[in-house]
Structures are given as structure tokens and as C-alpha cells.
Amino acid sequence: MNDDDERRAGYLRLAMVAPADRPPLVAPLDEPVGFEDAADRPDLARRLHRVLAFDFAHLPEIADLWVESWARTLPAIDFEARRVWFCTHVDEALRKGAKIRVALVETGDVVGFVLIDPATGYLDQIAVHPDLWGEGIAEALLDAARALSPARIRLDVNTDNPRAVAFYLREGFREIGRGVNPRSGLATIALEWRPG
């Protein structure tokens, strides 16, 4: 195992542990490459500092954010119990070529992320910290996803998540089908965005 694989495995192990049970995380990354300043898009966010490429050091924070965001959205489901699935899913998606962009505020805290496969245009995950819903962070993340997959984005959204459905429709997505989430059994809507 090389140093990069060991580092990846270490952050993967940390992310699989609930925050209360994990040792303190290392300081945030200094100046990762590939960010866009929020000053370039003042219409998108009041609190967003930048959107940048994922580093495995972000994984514990995005796992925490994913659990918290989904627990607020669908409180009847135990998303903490799905933490290990999420971490493994992210690792597998990245190994297959998916990309993640993370949204940071001025403190360096991760407040949102998007996971998309540029080859297929499938947007697998997008989450924003619940305290910052409505602040333009989801729009900035969706812009980052569009930059990675400019020809098409497809996703499935739970019908029990009307806030997300309304967001995607406002952002120019259209319904292309219906289905069922294989993990939760909840009804889903397949949505697609194309430019123009």
C-alpha cells in the first residue's frame, strides 16, 4: 500500500465513525487547487467562500454533513446507521471515476458537497448543511456539477423530499420517469437537466 492509499484508508476509517466517537480531525487543507471564489458569483451565496475539488481529508466532514442533512430531511430513517454504507459508496464511486466538489465557508468548514459521474452525468449525491439551506450553496454545487457534466445531468430524488423536487425544477430539470429507491423503498422521480 502506498502513502496515498494509506491516507485514503485512514480518512475512510475516520469517516465511518460518528463524530462523538472519533478522535479530533486534523486542520483543514490550506489552499487546495481548483476552487472558485464566491466573489465570482455573488448571486449564489451570502456565506459561501469557495467550491473546490474533493480531497479525502474532507470525507469525515461530508459524511457528518450527509447524515445530518438526511436526518433532518427524512427523520423516520436512521441515517447514522447508513454512515458506513455512505462512506463505502463514496469510495467506490470515486474509484470508478466520479468527482466530488465541496463547498466551504470562510472558516474552512465543509457545508455542502456534490457527487457526480462526469462520464454518465448521473448526480448521485448533493447535500448542504441544514443550517445553511436557502443560502445559495446548493446552486453553487449544482453549477460545479454542470461544469463537470455540461451536456446532461440526471438524478433520482425522493418524492417525500418536496423541497429538493422544487429546487431541481427551479434549476431547469424536468421529469423523465418514476421509480423506487432500492435501499429505502421510497418512491422516486427521475429528473434530467440539459443546457439550453
Side-chain angles (χ1 to χ4, degrees):
M1 186 180 286
N2 66 35
D3 289 344
D4 286 342
D5 289 339
E6 285 182 32
R7 182 174 179 274
R8 181 183 193 126
Y11 281 114
L12 188 57
R13 281 190 303 275
L14 278 176
M16 290 181 179
V17 177
D21 299 329
R22 96 168 55 110
L25 297 177
V26 296
L29 302 172
D30 291 334
E31 246 348 286
V33 178
F35 70 89
E36 115 185 7
D37 285 319
D40 296 337
R41 293 292 310 269
D43 58 313
L44 288 182
R46 295 184 300 229
R47 297 183 186 190
L48 178 66
H49 179 55
R50 60 185 166 203
V51 174
L52 50 92
F54 172 81
D55 182 280
F56 253 85
H58 296 126
L59 186 57
E61 285 183 275
I62 71 167
D64 297 346
L65 186 145
W66 181 84
V67 168
E68 189 169 350
S69 178
W70 275 108
R72 181 91 54 98
T73 302
L74 296 171
I77 298 174
D78 181 0
F79 286 95
E80 186 60 54
R82 295 179 178 197
R83 177 184 290 271
V84 172
W85 169 85
F86 171 76
C87 295
T88 304
H89 178 72
V90 166
D91 187 45
E92 289 171 3
L94 291 169
R95 289 180 190 277
K96 292 177 181 175
K99 303 287 184 197
I100 298 177
R101 295 297 181 256
V102 294
L104 279 74
V105 288
E106 299 244 347
T107 60
D109 294 320
V110 174
V111 295
F113 73 93
V114 62
L115 169 63
I116 187 166
D117 182 343
T120 64
Y122 187 73
L123 193 152
D124 186 279
Q125 301 283 329
I126 187 169
V128 173
H129 191 284
D131 292 345
L132 297 175
W133 287 350
E135 296 288 334
I137 294 168
E139 290 86 343
L141 290 167
L142 196 52
D143 277 358
R146 286 180 174 128
L148 291 167
S149 182
R152 172 183 175 228
I153 296 177
R154 193 185 96 55
L155 59 89
D156 297 296
V157 62
N158 290 319
T159 58
D160 288 347
N161 191 351
R163 180 181 175 83
V165 173
F167 166 74
Y168 292 121
L169 294 176
R170 273 193 319 272
E171 288 295 318
F173 285 76
R174 63 179 183 79
E175 183 175 334
I176 58 171
R178 298 272 173 152
V180 175
N181 182 308
R183 288 194 53 81
S184 67
L186 296 175
T188 61
I189 303 171
L191 298 173
E192 183 179 69
W193 168 87
R194 289 184 185 262

